Structures are given as C-alpha cells and as structure tokens.
Amino acid sequence: SHSHERQPAVPRTALVQTLDSAVRNDPSGNTVFVVLGDEGSGKTWLVAQWWATLVDQPIMIFVSGRRAEQLAPEDPIESAARFLAEQDGQVDEVSLRGWKRRLRRWQGCRSSGALRFVLVLDGLNEHGRTEWADIISGHRRVIEQLGGVVIATTRDGFWRRDVIPRL
C-alpha cells in the first residue's frame, strides 16, 4: 500500500506546459510523443491534465489495459472507428461504418494547425508482449493525417529496450 494512494492528483503545471510545448512546437514535425517515468509517477494523469487544459480539446482515444489487443496496425482506421464507436456507446456495423466514413473524410481535410486528434497508448510496459513498435508505426501516419498525435506512456527502460530498437 502506498501512502499517496488517497491523495488527489497533484496538478503538474510545469510538466503539462512542457508536454504542451513539445506537442505543439516540435520543429521536426514529430507526431509520436512518449511520457516516461517510474510506476505510479503520474504519467497517465499528466496526459489527462494536459488534455483538460486545451481550449479546443481534440478527440481523444485512450487505449489502456486489454483494449490494446484491439489495435490493428494493418488497419488503423478500423481500430480508431471501433474505439470511437465504443466511446460513443454504439458498437454495431452501422456505427462502425459511420465512424470509418467520417475518419476517411477527416483524413482528406487539411489541418488548420489546431490539434484535432490524440491517440493515447497508456502503460505500454504493462503489456510487454504487445507489438508496440508495429502498432505505433501503423497508426502514426493515419493519426497525423487526421491532424493528430500519438502519445504513449511507459517506463523508460521498457521504451528504450523493447520499443525504440524496433521503430
């Protein structure tokens, strides 16, 4: 039992600003960002707090736990449509078709520069057998076309040892 378990989430203003600056001002045009830290250090909360501070909040797909098994690197539109349908509360063929149609239409729209989409892959190290490099590579281009970014949270060692060499 950790002594900090009952404490409310502490606002991390400086870290939120750092993440915001990285996402908005990356000169290389990077669309994949990683929040690294030890277990229980607040990586997930940092991403949630950052999103909550955005004036024009982009659509966020939050993938954590067993939901990661539903990510299809060979068909990122299908993955995104399925998660959006789930978040919308209607996972049926009509809803899935509607989300796929919408996503394909959005792919063709030029971004105004505003962030429109965020795919959060939370706790990569908790699912060590998942092919994270393939998932990130498969989703990054489509998310970029949707005017968005991919943000992963994981432990530093796992990222450097298991993901980076395969990207």
Side-chain angles (χ1 to χ4, degrees), residues 97-116:
R97 267 198 314 274
W99 276 112
K100 284 185 213 175
R101 198 170 41 249
R102 228 171 274 136
L103 289 168
R104 287 191 183 101
R105 190 174 64 240
W106 293 346
Q107 264 184 299
C109 295
R110 286 283 143 239
S111 177
S112 61
L115 188 61
R116 298 187 304 192

Side-chain angles (χ1 to χ4, degrees), residues 2-165:
H2 295 8
S3 60
H4 63 273
E5 282 182 328
R6 292 189 189 92
Q7 304 276 327
V10 178
R12 293 177 173 86
T13 309
L15 289 174
V16 166
Q17 289 171 347
T18 300
L19 179 57
D20 190 58
S21 178
V23 169
R24 291 177 185 275
N25 304 317
D26 189 309
S28 67
N30 191 19
T31 55
V32 177
F33 300 89
V34 186
V35 178
L36 301 170
D38 294 331
E39 180 181 1
S41 63
K43 299 176 293 292
T44 305
W45 272 109
L46 174 63
V47 175
Q49 288 174 350
W50 163 76
W51 182 82
T53 65
L54 299 175
V55 177
D56 292 318
Q57 292 175 328
I59 293 171
M60 179 192 280
I61 296 178
F62 189 87
V63 181
S64 182
R66 293 194 104 91
R67 294 180 77 199
E69 296 167 6
Q70 298 173 36
L71 290 162
E74 69 285 351
D75 193 354
I77 291 287
E78 173 74 28
S79 294
R82 187 163 299 285
F83 284 115
L84 289 166
E86 274 181 25
Q87 286 177 197
D88 212 19
Q90 291 194 302
V91 187
D92 56 39
E93 282 308 310
V94 173
S95 181
L96 276 174
R97 267 198 314 274
W99 276 112
K100 284 185 213 175
R101 198 170 41 249
R102 228 171 274 136
L103 289 168
R104 287 191 183 101
R105 190 174 64 240
W106 293 346
Q107 264 184 299
C109 295
R110 286 283 143 239
S111 177
S112 61
L115 188 61
R116 298 187 304 192
F117 213 87
V118 177
L119 172 63
V120 178
L121 304 174
D122 184 50
L124 273 56
N125 56 280
E126 294 170 16
H127 301 279
R129 293 191 170 171
T130 302
E131 300 292 339
W132 289 115
D134 294 344
I135 288 169
I136 291 167
S137 296
H139 285 74
R140 95 186 294 161
R141 188 180 56 78
V142 169
I143 298 299
E144 182 180 349
Q145 290 168 347
L146 291 168
V149 296
V150 176
I151 300 178
T153 69
T154 189
R155 293 190 199 164
D156 188 43
F158 181 82
W159 177 253
R160 293 184 197 289
R161 183 187 64 244
D162 295 285
V163 183
I164 284 200

